[in-house]
Amino acid sequence: IRKFAANDYSKAQKDRYRKGLPNLIYTNGLDFEFIRDGEAVDFVTIADLIGDIDPIKAARGGHTLGDELTMHYGLLPRANRCIFAINELPDLSGKIQVGLFNIMQEGDVQIKGYPIRLALDVALVFTANPEDYTARGKIVTPLKDRIGAEIQTHYPRTVELGMAITAQEAWVDRGELEVRTPEFMRELIERVAFEARTDRRIDKRSGVSQRLPISLLENVVSNAERRGIMRGERTVVPRVSDCYASLPAITGKLELEYEGELQGAETIAKDLVRRAAHRTFAARAEDVSPEQIDLVVAWFDGGGALRIGGDERTELCLSAFETVPGLVPLAAQVAGGSDHAGADLVSAAEL
């Protein structure tokens, strides 16, 4: 805890104690960083976590090193009556993990062999990725044996749940421009992750995390904002073309198998967007008559061609789409959840 925040932190702890609420102490096995005399330390030691003899305290107080008053208490003793969370547990060295044995088994801590036992009332919570996901470290077996319960999480099982998580975590309300993301665009972005998780060209052991649709949505919104600034539009609506402009948000989060490496991450990312768009349209066009779809397809099969840049103004795109028989009415049905504004129709027509 930085020195200037220590008083505020202690006050917050006391307030939570008076209200009967547990305190939460959070650290990270790899990225844990704290300030000691102005120096940032990016690794964890037994002295940091449990405690140690403090010769400075002994010298200032005139104590011998055998005096209990020279003890420096680490994070865990200070977390009494708290929930102590450690992220990325395998990144803690084995020696540090061994130091947690007595706390988890007996509920107390000893510092440097002192006969004083400090009974702790603390709940330890750990997080870790599966061992086959990363080779950075492992949880030592005796520590595993002392963990009371293991809760395994999983990827969202439904597109709706994934969309809710992405909407909660993504940064899209930025205040500069009014960004209106249609529901079908959010669904398309979420389906990119679902398609990737079932693609045999992508490594199943590494998986595809929920960060992919979160990053993709943020990048799609950013590209839509860029287009709005270029064209002087105050209200912007993301389009399918923005997904293709945001391919780096996909390729950077895929671990490919040998076949995927041969094809390339960008090719696979484009294919994922295409398949996600197809499934999104199929799910939203269940009530559309086949004749409406055939009318649009027949125009293109008959030699019709339409080329529109991804940065064109909404009015220009809409007038171009109106040249295709039946496309705009079909887009209005697909965009059923929107207010059928021109920008929404353009996005649905691209879909």
Side-chain angles (χ1 to χ4, degrees):
I1 303 167
R2 296 182 183 273
K3 292 180 179 179
F4 61 79
N7 293 334
D8 292 339
Y9 178 79
S10 300
K11 181 177 182 299
Q13 273 193 321
K14 292 175 182 177
D15 290 342
R16 291 181 65 83
Y17 178 76
R18 280 195 290 266
K19 296 176 183 178
L21 299 174
N23 291 306
L24 177 64
I25 304 295
Y26 177 85
T27 183
N28 190 310
L30 180 64
D31 302 321
F32 174 78
E33 186 173 287
F34 67 99
I35 300 298
R36 178 193 294 160
D37 295 334
E39 178 187 0
V41 182
D42 59 356
F43 55 87
V44 182
T45 65
I46 286 290
D48 303 327
L49 207 59
I50 308 299
D52 202 349
I53 304 300
D54 190 346
I56 304 299
K57 185 184 292 187
R60 288 177 176 174
H63 308 296
T64 64
L65 290 179
D67 196 320
E68 292 85 352
L69 295 177
T70 63
M71 286 189 295
H72 162 74
Y73 299 104
L75 284 171
L76 265 171
R78 296 169 185 268
N80 190 40
R81 299 182 63 83
C82 292
I83 300 172
F84 192 89
I86 299 180
N87 190 28
E88 300 295 351
L89 180 62
D91 291 321
L92 280 178
S93 68
K95 180 178 67 174
I96 309 301
Q97 294 185 39
V98 169
L100 299 174
F101 287 178
N102 206 57
I103 297 172
M104 299 187 67
Q105 186 69 45
E106 307 294 339
D108 59 35
V109 62
Q110 294 186 47
I111 298 176
K112 282 292 185 180
Y114 274 97
I116 299 175
R117 288 179 177 267
L118 303 175
L120 297 180
D121 179 15
V122 59
L124 293 174
V125 180
F126 307 117
T127 68
N129 285 308
E131 287 189 10
D132 58 354
Y133 180 81
T134 173
R136 291 184 303 183
K138 62 174 294 184
I139 305 174
V140 297
T141 303
L143 182 61
K144 276 186 178 179
D145 188 51
R146 287 166 167 79
I147 295 176
E150 179 182 88
I151 301 173
Q152 293 186 347
T153 60
H154 54 79
Y155 298 129
R157 293 197 172 100
T158 64
V159 175
E160 294 75 19
L161 178 57
M163 291 170 61
I165 297 173
T166 301
Q168 172 185 294
E169 299 297 328
W171 176 52
V172 294
D173 299 324
R174 305 172 186 181
E176 295 296 329
L177 299 175
E178 180 186 351
V179 180
R180 186 171 64 249
T181 306
E183 194 71 11
F184 61 84
M185 277 301 303
R186 293 182 180 271
E187 180 180 342
L188 187 155
I189 290 170
E190 198 63 41
R191 287 187 183 275
V192 171
F194 275 76
E195 291 296 322
R197 289 169 188 148
T198 58
D199 196 301
R200 57 187 175 85
R201 298 168 295 181
I202 298 173
D203 188 1
K204 297 295 186 296
R205 292 172 301 175
S206 296
V208 179
S209 76
Q210 192 62 25
R211 294 185 184 92
L212 188 149
I214 294 171
S215 297
L216 181 56
L217 177 58
E218 291 176 344
N219 279 267
V220 164
V221 169
S222 295
N223 197 65
E225 286 182 325
R226 180 188 62 82
R227 181 177 60 250
I229 293 172
M230 286 177 56
R231 301 303 179 186
E233 298 176 342
R234 297 303 303 171
T235 301
V236 294
V237 175
R239 307 171 185 171
V240 178
S241 56
D242 294 325
C243 292
Y244 288 99
S246 305
L247 290 182
I250 304 175
T251 56
K253 292 178 171 56
L254 300 180
E255 293 288 338
L256 302 180
E257 298 282 10
Y258 178 71
E259 180 184 353
E261 294 286 356
L262 293 178
Q263 298 182 23
E266 185 171 340
T267 300
I268 294 176
K270 290 179 179 178
D271 185 49
L272 293 175
V273 174
R274 180 187 59 80
R275 285 158 45 189
H278 169 72
R279 290 188 180 275
T280 302
F281 175 77
R284 292 179 171 270
E286 293 179 346
D287 299 330
V288 176
S289 64
E291 292 77 13
Q292 287 180 275
I293 301 176
D294 292 341
L295 180 64
V296 177
V297 174
W299 187 83
F300 286 99
D301 289 344
L306 189 64
R307 294 181 63 87
I308 301 176
D311 291 333
E312 298 296 343
R313 293 181 62 87
T314 299
E315 296 80 6
L316 178 61
C317 293
L318 189 58
S319 62
F321 287 137
E322 286 175 345
T323 62
V324 182
L327 177 57
V328 173
L330 178 60
Q333 288 185 263
V334 172
S338 68
D339 57 4
H340 297 170
D344 297 89
L345 291 177
V346 169
S347 182
E350 283 196 3
L351 176 65

